[in-house]
Amino acid sequence: MTRVLTGRDGQSFTFDPGAFCLELLLTGGPGKYAYWEILHTPDDLADWLQDSRLAAIAPLDDLRVRPAELRAVKAFRDTMLSVALALAHDRDLPAGALETINDAAGPVPRPRIDPATGRRTWVGPVTGTQILGAAAHEAIDLLTGPHRDRVRECAASNCLLLFVDTSRPGKRRWCSMERCGNRNKVSAYRTRQT
Ligand SMILES: [Zn+2]
C-alpha cells in the first residue's frame, strides 16, 4: 500500500509508511514538517483520505469532517510524529503522548457489506472522529505489538520520512529504494571510485 510522493526536487517516488497512523504524518506537522502541510480545511482531509490506506479497505466516499475534528486529527498527528521519532531513535516517549493517543481511541468507521454488490463499504457518513479513532487504534496496536521497535526514520540524512518496517527480515532502511536507497547506492559507488 504505497503513496506517490514528490520531493522538493520534483522527483516522484513511491513510499509505503506501513501504517495509517504513520501515513497521516505525510500531511504536514510542526516546525520543519510544516513545509508539507496540506490540511488547511476539513475538505483537505477528506480529499487526502481518498488515497489513504483506510480507503484501500473500502471507499471513503461519504465523509463528514468538522473543523474541530480536523484540529483533533492534526493534534493527534503531531503527537504521533513525536512518538514515531522517539521510537525510531530509541528515546523515551514524550510526556502526555500516550494520553493523547488513548483519548483519541474512540469510535472507528463501521464496516458493512453492501447487499447489492457483496462489497465492503463503510457505514456513512464516516466522521472525522472515526478517522481519528482508526488512527489511534492502530497506533495502540503499533505501540503494543511486535513492530514497535521497527519504526524508523529514513536513513538518508536529509530525509524526514518515517515508516514501520513490516518486512519479514526487518532490514528496511530507506523510505523508498527508488529515491534514498538508490541515491545511497550511487554515492557508495562514487566513494569506492575515488
Ligand atoms: Zn528517504
Side-chain angles (χ1 to χ4, degrees), residues 22-70:
L22 297 177
E23 185 180 19
L24 202 52
L25 305 183
L26 298 173
T27 63
K32 61 187 172 183
Y33 300 88
Y35 175 86
W36 306 101
E37 182 64 59
I38 54 167
L39 300 183
H40 305 290
T41 69
D43 283 349
D44 294 336
L45 178 59
D47 287 346
W48 180 82
L49 283 165
Q50 299 309 313
D51 297 317
S52 69
R53 299 172 76 88
L54 219 50
I57 299 169
L60 284 167
D61 43 19
D62 187 8
L63 275 163
R64 192 188 61 209
V65 181
R66 295 201 177 91
E69 292 175 316
L70 177 69

Side-chain angles (χ1 to χ4, degrees), residues 24 30 39 68-82 97 100-101 104 132:
L24 202 52
L39 300 183
E69 292 175 316
L70 177 69
R71 284 195 294 278
V73 166
K74 288 173 77 170
F76 172 86
R77 178 192 69 187
D78 295 353
T79 296
M80 199 62 222
L81 171 66
S82 62
T100 302
I101 291 171
L132 178 63

Side-chain angles (χ1 to χ4, degrees), residues 154 156 159 161 174-176 179-180:
C154 176
C159 184
L161 291 171
W174 312 105
C175 60
S176 158
R179 187 172 173 85
C180 294

Side-chain angles (χ1 to χ4, degrees), residues 9 15-16 19-20 34 47 61-62 71-72 86 91 97 104 121 130 137 159 170 176:
D9 58 4
F15 172 62
D16 178 8
F20 176 64
D47 287 346
D61 43 19
D62 187 8
R71 284 195 294 278
R91 295 193 298 254
T121 62
Q130 288 174 311
H137 281 239
C159 184
S176 158

